[in-house]
């Protein structure tokens, strides 16, 4: 019985609302007003129906859900994390260092030019915050001379060691999207170089004073890496990277207590880059 009474009360309220709305509408139509565009009366009816029935039908589709959605606060979009991997090549160009020797002459240390391969995994969280992991390889020969030109090759004063040179470094990356196709960046970081003698397996013989020779193994050198470059995007996934990479370190001495002169290796590198996921810009 209580449910029946409640239903009768609701129906009465609805009828009274519709009657009052009709009276109000007829009174408004009798007053002179400017012509309304087509479809205005139907929009008034929709608003009136929403006002009358929304309190009684909170779950009605298109009414309460729309109003609730309009009242929700807007959430700012998060910055897209850009993840790329690249593979490139470059010439390995190392500056020859010269230093005055103890006997009045001078000594030199150099690394022959050679082709170099480098692969990079990079992630950018913000334009100013990103990192890259770099792995490089080249096969180059290091020359060491003391009182250059006065001693014959094959002595401690003039010897060379062919090496497999490995690079492993971690860099901080800052980048800026210049256009939707062009991205500029800089990076700086640290790591190490491994000079692995390759003349006889992973070792090499180095002349010693008053004897034949000693066997030298892999020599590790701390490394500072820096560079700058640009990415040109062909499409959302593929890009061409052109950059200058600089490596600052000391020459290997292979445990022979040789002077370890500081040098810089320049690597003008061109790489093919793949971007994971969707690109920030549309092409």
């Amino acid at each position: 019985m209580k449910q029946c009474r409640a239903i009768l009360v609701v129906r009465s309220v609805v009828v009274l609302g519709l009657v009052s709305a009709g009276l109000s509408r007829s009174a408004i139509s009798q007053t002179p007003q400017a012509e309304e565009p087509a479809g205005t009366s139907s929009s008034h009816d929709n608003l009136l129906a929403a006002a009358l029935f929304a309190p009684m039908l909170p779950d009605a589709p298109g009414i309460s859900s729309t109003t609730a959605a309009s009242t929700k606060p807007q959430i700012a979009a998060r910055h897209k994390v850009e993840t790329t991997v690249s593979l490139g090549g470059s010439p390995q160009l190392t500056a020859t260092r010269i230093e005055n020797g103890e006997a009045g002459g001078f000594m030199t240390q150099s690394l022959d030019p050679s082709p170099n391969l480098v692969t990079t995994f990079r992630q950018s969280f913000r334009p100013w915050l990103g990192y890259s992991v770099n792995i490089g390889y080249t096969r180059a020969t290091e020359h060491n001379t003391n009182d250059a030109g006065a001693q014959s090759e094959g002595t401690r004063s003039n010897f060379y060691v062919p090496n497999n040179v490995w690079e492993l470094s971690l860099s901080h990356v800052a980048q800026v999207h210049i256009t939707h196709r062009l991205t500029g960046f800089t990076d700086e970081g640290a790591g190490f170089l491994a000079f692995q003698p390759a003349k006889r397996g992973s070792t090499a013989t180095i002349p010693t004073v008053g004897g034949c020779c000693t066997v030298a193994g892999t020599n590790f050198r701390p490394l500072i890496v820096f560079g700058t470059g640009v990415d040109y995007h062909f499409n959302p996934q593929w890009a061409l990277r052109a950059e200058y990479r600089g490596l600052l370190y000391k020459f290997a001495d292979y445990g022979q207590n040789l002077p370890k002169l500081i040098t810089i290796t320049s690597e003008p590198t061109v790489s093919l880059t793949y971007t994971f996921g969707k690109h920030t810009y549309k092409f």
Side-chain angles (χ1 to χ4, degrees), residues 2-18:
K2 292 181 179 181
Q3 294 179 353
C4 293
R5 291 177 181 177
I7 294 173
L8 291 175
V9 171
V10 172
R11 289 180 178 177
S12 301
V13 172
V14 172
V15 171
L16 289 175
L18 293 175

Side-chain angles (χ1 to χ4, degrees), residues 54 57-71:
L57 302 174
D59 296 329
I63 299 177
S64 60
S65 60
T66 305
T67 56
S70 62
T71 58

Side-chain angles (χ1 to χ4, degrees), residues 90-92 113-117 137-139:
S90 70
Q92 174 274 127
S114 60
N116 179 71
L117 291 175
Y137 170 77
T138 187
R139 186 181 177 96

Side-chain angles (χ1 to χ4, degrees), residues 12-250:
S12 301
V13 172
V14 172
V15 171
L16 289 175
L18 293 175
V19 171
S20 61
L23 293 175
S24 300
R25 183 175 179 184
S26 62
I28 293 172
S29 62
Q30 292 176 1
T31 60
Q33 293 181 355
E35 293 185 359
E36 296 181 353
T40 306
S41 60
S42 62
S43 62
H44 286 319
D45 293 341
N46 292 336
L47 292 174
L48 180 60
L52 289 174
F53 292 101
M56 293 182 290
L57 302 174
D59 296 329
I63 299 177
S64 60
S65 60
T66 305
T67 56
S70 62
T71 58
K72 288 183 179 180
Q74 296 294 327
I75 300 176
R78 297 180 61 187
H79 179 82
K80 182 179 182 296
V81 177
E82 296 183 17
T83 303
T84 64
V85 62
S86 65
L87 176 64
S90 70
Q92 174 274 127
L93 306 172
T94 301
T96 299
R97 302 310 303 267
I98 303 174
E99 187 176 87
N100 291 331
E102 298 177 356
F106 62 92
M107 67 167 299
T108 66
Q109 288 181 321
S110 63
L111 202 64
D112 287 350
S114 60
N116 179 71
L117 291 175
V118 61
T119 181
T120 298
F121 175 83
R122 177 182 294 179
Q123 279 192 319
S124 177
F125 305 99
R126 293 288 188 274
W128 50 269
L129 180 60
Y131 74 93
S132 66
V133 178
N134 314 295
I135 300 175
Y137 170 77
T138 187
R139 186 181 177 96
T141 299
E142 180 179 337
H143 286 268
N144 287 265
T145 64
N146 188 10
D147 193 13
Q151 301 292 334
S152 61
E153 184 177 333
T155 66
R156 182 178 172 84
S157 298
N158 188 354
F159 69 92
Y160 67 95
V161 179
N163 294 277
N164 293 314
V165 184
W166 299 90
E167 173 200 347
L168 179 61
S169 61
L170 178 66
S171 303
H172 166 265
V173 177
Q175 67 176 16
V176 57
H177 293 295
I178 302 171
T179 68
H180 72 288
R181 290 189 180 274
L182 199 63
T183 301
F185 64 88
T186 61
D187 62 276
E188 60 283 328
F192 66 88
L193 288 176
F195 288 83
Q196 182 185 35
K199 191 173 183 179
R200 296 179 182 175
S202 59
T203 62
T205 56
I206 296 177
T208 59
V209 178
C212 170
C213 48
T214 184
V215 178
T218 302
N219 205 201
F220 294 93
R221 281 284 162 263
L223 166 73
I224 294 176
V225 59
F226 55 92
T228 184
V230 292
D231 289 344
Y232 180 81
H233 301 273
F234 299 110
N235 55 46
Q237 274 70 47
W238 294 99
L240 188 67
R241 176 174 298 166
E243 62 179 319
Y244 168 81
R245 303 182 73 243
L247 311 180
L248 179 66
Y249 59 96
K250 291 183 178 181

Side-chain angles (χ1 to χ4, degrees), residues 264-281:
I264 294 179
T265 293
S266 297
E267 296 177 355
T269 306
V270 177
S271 306
L272 187 62
T273 301
Y274 179 80
T275 301
F276 295 92
K278 294 183 179 179
H279 198 273
T280 305
Y281 298 96

